[in-house]
Amino acid sequence: MTQIFSNSCILFRMLKNRIKISYFCFGFLGLLTPSVNIYAVPNDIALEATQEENKEDTGSKILQEQRYTGSLLAPSGALVNAGTFVVEPYLQNTISRGAYQANGKTKNSKHRTDNTLNYTLVKYAATDRLSVQIVPQIRYTWNGHTTASTVHFSDLPFEIQYRWIDQEDAHYQPSLTTVLGMIFPTGNYNNLGRHLDGAGTGNYTLRFGLQSQAAYQIFDKAIRVRVWGMGREPLNSVNLRNISSYGTDTGFRGKARSKLFGNTGFSLEYGLDKKWLMAFDLVYDWAKGTRIKGGYLDKPHSYQRKVNGASHDIQVAPAIEYNPSTRIGIIVGTALTVDGHNANNFVQPQMAVNFVF
């Protein structure tokens, strides 16, 4: 038994020494012939890895080459490159179909009020993360039983955007931008010649919110998703005299105080190719109403405190984008309400051209 154990030990040492010599020889050959991979993976696994790597490169290329204008209603985040200057004029026509009542039912208006709005988004990237934006607006309004209004400037929105988190498509990481700004009361709202001339609110209104976006490659197509939530808080009461944009008439004296309002929503942009995209927005608008108090000079007992109730509407906005280059983009589509409460029921065809400098 002892002899068998001794022989086994001698055999084990011989095999061990041979294995060491074999490892040494293989290593030496590897140094002499570096082009030969002695640890090569099987061909089918290598091919699969190569195909997967090519697929990732293709997907990355699709996302990098895709051009965007931006959907109709979604706000954009802060610009990426310092010094970039963007100008995007919009032409928007609002066609009223009536109004949503307090019970949610629609009441058609015999003399509807329509308007055409031209607003231009102007944005400048002060740094790679910080952008500033203003949106001057011009409004023209008419209805079926009075003459049309003249052209009026509306209130002027201004905001500062700061991007805290960058969008990283390779890691499916969405961006995050915060928004802070003010709406300045540059539009007519008080002591008007007629109601159609109302183009403002008289309020200094704080603007604040969050915006996020990400892009994904699905079935060799690029898809960009945006989500946002925005609030507007009027900071002051306004004095009302005679006809105003708050619905008062000649002889009225009083005050109005608007409450918090805003919207939230998401958008999808689907690239048909690098130039053409289909876009879609879903938006929920809401407002907490306005408190009005006052009366008419020729009616001594007409003093009243009135609260216009809270309101909301839901809008959808399909559109199509065309981007002939990375410096210009065009979008055409229509926003329309599909549900509401104490709100206007409308169809809103619109178009915009985006210029990047």
Side-chain angles (χ1 to χ4, degrees):
M1 187 71 180
T2 304
Q3 183 66 32
I4 295 174
F5 178 76
S6 178
N7 293 336
S8 298
C9 290
I10 294 171
L11 180 61
F12 175 76
R13 284 196 295 270
M14 292 175 62
L15 290 173
K16 185 178 179 182
N17 291 333
R18 287 179 179 275
I19 291 172
K20 287 183 177 179
I21 293 171
S22 299
Y23 282 161
F24 176 79
C25 291
F26 275 119
F28 185 71
L29 287 174
L31 292 174
L32 293 178
T33 56
S35 61
V36 178
N37 184 6
I38 61 174
Y39 302 104
V41 294
N43 289 338
D44 55 344
I45 298 178
L47 179 60
E48 183 178 344
T50 303
Q51 289 175 341
E52 189 66 28
E53 185 177 334
N54 291 339
K55 183 178 179 181
E56 291 179 1
D57 291 343
T58 302
S60 176
K61 184 178 180 182
I62 290 172
L63 295 179
Q64 291 173 3
E65 291 184 348
Q66 185 64 59
R67 304 168 186 171
Y68 300 96
T69 300
S71 62
L72 286 176
L73 305 180
S76 58
L79 298 171
V80 175
N81 297 317
T84 302
F85 185 66
V86 174
V87 178
E88 187 172 14
Y90 277 77
L91 183 61
Q92 183 183 93
N93 185 32
T94 302
I95 303 169
S96 177
R97 300 183 294 181
Y100 291 105
Q101 305 300 296
N103 59 7
K105 294 183 178 180
T106 303
K107 181 180 179 180
N108 294 325
S109 176
K110 183 177 180 181
H111 300 291
R112 73 188 192 197
T113 299
D114 302 334
N115 68 72
T116 295
L117 179 67
N118 168 242
Y119 64 93
T120 302
L121 183 151
V122 181
K123 183 184 290 192
Y124 176 72
T127 71
D128 290 344
R129 293 184 176 275
L130 179 69
S131 298
V132 293
Q133 174 180 293
I134 60 170
V135 189
Q137 305 175 48
I138 301 174
R139 181 185 300 269
Y140 177 78
T141 307
W142 69 95
N143 62 25
H145 68 284
T146 63
T147 57
S149 72
T150 55
V151 175
H152 297 282
F153 282 99
S154 297
D155 292 345
L156 179 65
F158 167 82
E159 65 185 34
I160 298 171
Q161 303 172 345
Y162 187 83
R163 187 179 61 262
W164 299 89
I165 301 175
D166 292 328
Q167 177 182 329
E168 294 184 9
D169 298 334
H171 300 94
Y172 305 104
Q173 176 179 292
S175 66
L176 178 64
T177 296
T178 53
V179 176
L180 184 64
M182 185 75 70
I183 303 175
F184 295 96
T186 54
N188 297 331
Y189 76 96
N190 193 41
N191 206 23
L192 305 172
R194 49 193 170 177
H195 287 101
L196 294 180
D197 293 332
T201 64
N203 289 309
Y204 287 89
T205 303
L206 181 68
R207 294 164 61 94
F208 54 92
L210 297 172
Q211 189 270 1
S212 181
Q213 69 181 40
Y216 306 97
Q217 187 256 323
I218 300 177
F219 300 120
D220 296 331
K221 300 294 184 181
I223 293 179
R224 186 169 71 172
V225 181
R226 283 177 170 173
V227 294
W228 73 91
M230 299 290 172
R232 316 279 192 270
E233 178 66 50
L235 302 179
N236 61 290
S237 298
V238 295
N239 294 318
L240 302 181
R241 295 173 60 88
N242 301 317
I243 298 173
S244 74
S245 57
Y246 291 86
T248 60
D249 290 310
T250 302
F252 184 86
R253 298 291 186 275
K255 289 189 174 184
R257 179 63 189 260
S258 298
K259 298 181 180 180
L260 183 69
F261 62 99
N263 62 61
T264 185
F266 80 92
S267 70
L268 294 174
E269 294 171 272
Y270 177 75
L272 302 174
D273 57 32
K274 71 178 183 180
K275 295 182 180 181
W276 290 91
L277 301 94
M278 295 187 298
F280 178 81
D281 293 278
L282 177 63
V283 181
Y284 178 78
D285 285 315
W286 53 272
K288 290 191 173 182
T290 301
R291 178 179 284 107
I292 299 174
K293 59 182 181 180
Y296 291 88
L297 297 177
D298 57 347
K299 299 177 182 179
H301 303 290
S302 64
Y303 185 86
Q304 59 181 328
R305 293 175 179 268
K306 182 175 70 172
V307 178
N308 295 334
S311 63
H312 76 263
D313 67 57
I314 297 175
Q315 299 179 40
V316 296
I320 188 164
E321 303 176 30
Y322 175 62
N323 302 274
S325 75
T326 58
R327 297 289 182 178
I328 185 170
I330 303 166
I331 184 168
V332 178
T334 299
L336 65 154
T337 51
V338 295
D339 186 55
H341 170 88
N342 290 334
N344 189 21
N345 180 18
F346 60 82
V347 176
Q348 199 174 68
Q350 52 192 290
M351 69 169 293
V353 183
N354 184 57
F355 300 96
V356 180
F357 302 96

